[in-house]
Structures are given as C-alpha cells and as structure tokens.
Amino acid sequence: DAGVIQSPRHEVTEMGQEVTLRCKPISGHNSLFWYRQTMMRGLELLIYFNNNVPIDDSGMPEDRFSAKMPNASFSTLKIQPSEPRDSAVYFCASNVQRGSPLHFGNGTRLTVT
Amino acid sequence: GIQVEQSPPDLILQEGANSTLRCNFSDSVNNLQWFHQNPWGQLINLFYIPSGTKQNGRLSATTVATERYSLLYISSSQTTDSGVYFCAVDSGYSTLTFGKGTMLLVSP
C-alpha cells in the first residue's frame, strides 16, 4: 500500500498566482480530508469529502480556496489568487469511513512570496 | 465545539527514560486517535483508541472515556521518538479536532 500521495512536496509561488495541490488517497478509502498546519493555528480542517462528495467545507478560509474530488482516487485543492498568509503545510488524509483511523500524506509545504 | 488539551506542551528526556503524555477533552467522544509528527513533518497514526488500552511495542495508550482523558506512554525512549505527539477526537458531531500537541525531544 503506497499510502496517501501528495504533490508537489514543496511549492514556492508569488502572490497572486494560482496554486494547485494534488492528492491521491489510499485505495478503498471513502473519506478524504484537507488540513492546513501553521505554527499559529496548528492543524485546521479545511474540507472533507465522503464518497467524492464535499460534506463540510466550513473550514475553507475564503472564496479564494476551492477543492474538488472528481473521482475516488484524486482530489485537488486550489488557491486563486494566492497570498503570503496562505503559506503553510497542507496535508491530505484519508480513511475507510468517518470515525476510522486517519492516514496522512507527507504534506505540501507552500510558500507564497 | 469540543476542546482538546494536551500536556505537557514540551518534554525533554534522556534516551532510555519513560514518559506519559496526557490528552483531556471536554465532551464525550466516539473516536480518539494519537499521532506522531516526526522531525521531517510526517504525521503517523499511532493508535485508534476511543476506549480501553492498546499496546504497540514500546508505546501504549489508554483512554478513559467516562473521565474524558487519554494517556500515551512511551517506554525506554529513543531519539527517533522525538517530534510532536497529537491527540485528536471526534465527538460525533464533527470531524477530528486536534490538540496543540506535546513536543518531545529525546537526547542521546
């Protein structure tokens, strides 16, 4: 089992640019989560999907953030336009179903200058 | 929403020492998990333990749901145990809520 796969590992971009983060959950997992980690705010849930359907996006900071899950094996988190305060590590995680053990990808470290 | 408090916030140990990390939560839970974030930033699931006791090698965890706390025990600590340990809970009304973590440094 390859685990949750995220790309890219690092992303450096300039303010105003579009950023797309990608995630492949573990095969057979039906729930997918996007988290953001910063020193100030810790781990925050941005959005989660169940069976490819967004269930709770109340953690998405603002309209500049959007997430999609077109199929069971792929999800994207997009920031447009990016701002320096978006700099953080973004984690994708998946589990078989809500309430079961959660498995994280290695994260994408985003730096917006 | 549910509150999660972890203690201590920081801990420094000599290699070989034992330690206990605590997680208190403010409401009943049906899901509690412990994670280790290593110095490279990887988040590893250690235990899924809404109640009872589990052991995995030198690590064990106990959750007393009725008293709203969980403990993570690390015995004979090694330098590779260094990192941040997170407790996360789900009360059934939302997804996992993470504590702020305990940062552990094990020195040789």
Side-chain angles (χ1 to χ4, degrees):
Chain A
D1 192 339
V4 177
I5 299 173
Q6 291 187 246
S7 64
R9 286 301 311 276
H10 303 274
E11 177 80 40
V12 180
T13 191
E14 292 184 347
M15 183 174 62
Q17 297 298 306
E18 177 179 294
V19 175
T20 298
L21 311 182
R22 297 172 175 79
C23 175
K24 176 179 169 57
I26 294 173
S27 177
H29 282 195
N30 297 312
S31 294
L32 181 142
F33 305 78
W34 283 100
Y35 284 87
R36 179 172 66 177
Q37 185 178 36
T38 61
M39 288 294 292
M40 290 295 293
R41 301 172 71 93
L43 271 162
E44 302 175 278
L45 177 66
L46 299 177
I47 185 171
Y48 90 92
F49 295 84
N50 190 52
N51 292 323
N52 313 337
V53 176
I55 302 300
D56 182 358
D57 65 354
S58 60
M60 296 286 262
E62 47 197 275
D63 291 345
R64 297 185 297 105
F65 285 68
S66 63
K68 294 182 179 180
M69 191 165 186
N71 58 62
S73 60
F74 184 65
S75 177
T76 59
L77 178 67
K78 185 176 293 187
I79 308 173
Q80 166 64 19
S82 57
E83 296 183 2
R85 59 192 169 119
D86 301 331
S87 297
V89 180
Y90 290 81
F91 286 100
C92 177
S94 69
N95 59 12
V96 172
Q97 61 185 22
R98 183 180 160 187
S100 62
L102 190 63
H103 299 274
F104 282 84
N106 287 334
T108 294
R109 181 175 296 276
L110 173 65
T111 303
V112 183
T113 60
Chain B
I2 192 168
Q3 304 298 312
V4 183
E5 292 187 4
Q6 293 187 241
S7 59
D10 304 281
L11 186 59
I12 299 175
L13 299 174
Q14 284 279 339
E15 199 168 26
N18 303 328
S19 63
T20 301
L21 282 56
R22 187 177 180 100
C23 172
N24 292 333
F25 39 94
S26 61
D27 201 351
S28 58
V29 299
N30 57 14
N31 180 1
L32 187 146
Q33 301 184 34
W34 283 96
F35 297 85
H36 175 220
Q37 187 165 34
N38 63 27
W40 295 270
Q42 295 173 311
L43 274 159
I44 307 300
N45 192 306
L46 297 175
F47 293 103
Y48 167 75
I49 185 166
S51 64
T53 296
K54 288 187 177 179
Q55 180 148 10
N56 184 1
R58 294 180 298 102
L59 273 60
S60 64
T62 295
T63 297
V64 183
T66 53
E67 298 187 21
R68 300 183 183 172
Y69 73 89
S70 182
L71 302 174
L72 178 69
Y73 304 95
I74 305 174
S75 64
S76 303
S77 58
Q78 301 177 358
T79 56
T80 51
D81 295 330
S82 296
V84 183
Y85 290 80
F86 290 101
C87 169
V89 303
D90 177 0
S91 63
Y93 300 103
S94 65
T95 52
L96 282 176
T97 299
F98 282 76
K100 296 185 183 303
T102 292
M103 181 173 290
L104 173 65
L105 175 63
V106 181
S107 57

